[in-house]
Amino acid sequence: MTKKKKTKTAAVKDEAVIEEDIQIEDQNDLPESGDQDAPEVVIDLSPEQIANLQASLEESESKSAEYLDGWQRSRAELTNYRKRVERDRIQNRKNITGDLIKRYLPIVDDLERALTDRPTDENGALWADGVELIYRKMLNLLESEGVIPMTPEGETFDPNLHEAIMQTESDDHESDQIIEVLQRGYMIGERVLRPATVRIAA
């Protein structure tokens, strides 16, 4: 029994060796990489075909440049549109803020007039201090919204900024020079919120 098992095992080993030899021979039959050069592909084109290809290439390049130019223009237009929308939004906000603040300017005028002849006695002085505190708060509020008071006294009259309601002869001032500010004017940004009411020299 032992002898038969050995013979069978030897036969299995021999078959494995034969299969291995066959695999090696098959691999040896394959051409090695780089042994053969790749065949060159030669395209024989007529002059007419070459001309057609060149024309097609030029047309493609022209269209590509046209598309690029259109894309750049569209991008620039979009950027300008966004800037314009943002600018309009800021201006609209200023206009709304200005129209609202304009209603409170007469109150500021009244506070200024109240402080012109402030009382000096103890109770009156305390009252005047309270009024001045309110007045300062109003000015700070206006300043926080970009509202700036005009100080045109001594400047030359400008109808875009000032409103002249009086004209006085004066040897100390030049013609159209502002002598006195009767009502303070205000600006918000570059916009005139309220023109200054002034007296000018004749």
Side-chain angles (χ1 to χ4, degrees):
M1 294 296 290
T2 304
K3 187 175 182 181
K4 287 182 180 181
K5 287 182 180 180
K6 288 182 179 181
T7 304
K8 187 175 181 180
T9 303
V12 172
K13 288 182 179 181
D14 291 340
E15 289 178 0
V17 171
I18 292 170
E19 289 179 359
E20 183 178 355
D21 292 340
I22 293 172
Q23 291 177 358
I24 293 173
E25 288 177 0
D26 291 342
Q27 293 176 358
N28 291 334
D29 291 341
L30 297 175
E32 295 183 3
S33 177
D35 287 349
Q36 296 180 357
D37 294 333
E40 295 183 359
V41 178
V42 179
I43 301 177
D44 189 13
L45 298 176
S46 65
E48 183 180 357
Q49 291 175 320
I50 294 175
N52 291 337
L53 288 174
Q54 288 178 341
S56 178
L57 177 60
E58 291 175 358
E59 183 181 359
S60 298
E61 290 178 346
S62 176
K63 287 184 177 180
S64 176
E66 181 181 351
Y67 295 153
L68 177 61
D69 182 67
W71 175 79
Q72 289 175 338
R73 287 177 182 273
S74 299
R75 184 178 181 184
E77 289 175 359
L78 178 61
T79 301
N80 292 335
Y81 170 75
R82 288 176 176 173
K83 289 180 179 179
R84 186 169 61 253
V85 168
E86 179 64 16
R87 186 170 59 250
D88 292 344
R89 186 188 68 81
I90 294 174
Q91 187 60 45
N92 288 336
R93 182 183 180 278
K94 286 183 178 180
N95 291 340
I96 294 172
T97 302
D99 292 340
L100 180 62
I101 289 177
K102 194 173 181 180
R103 300 179 181 180
Y104 293 93
L105 293 182
I107 300 175
V108 178
D109 297 336
D110 292 340
L111 293 173
E112 287 179 347
R113 280 190 288 268
L115 293 172
T116 300
D117 296 321
R118 57 192 306 165
T120 56
D121 60 279
E122 184 177 355
N123 292 333
L126 292 175
W127 173 85
D129 290 340
V131 172
E132 185 175 4
L133 179 61
I134 297 172
Y135 173 68
R136 296 297 176 190
K137 286 183 178 180
M138 289 290 291
L139 291 183
N140 291 334
L141 176 62
L142 295 178
E143 185 179 357
S144 68
E145 294 296 336
V147 178
I148 303 172
M150 297 183 191
T151 54
E153 189 169 350
E155 297 179 359
T156 302
F157 173 74
D158 183 349
N160 297 315
L161 303 175
H162 315 130
E163 181 181 355
I165 61 172
M166 295 179 64
Q167 195 171 19
T168 307
E169 295 286 344
S170 175
D171 295 333
D172 298 328
H173 300 84
E174 297 180 0
S175 178
D176 288 340
Q177 187 176 6
I178 296 174
I179 300 175
E180 182 184 5
V181 178
L182 303 175
Q183 186 181 62
R184 185 179 300 198
Y186 292 89
M187 297 190 68
I188 180 168
E190 297 180 356
R191 171 194 170 195
V192 177
L193 189 60
R194 187 181 73 179
T197 305
V198 297
R199 178 167 63 95
I200 63 174

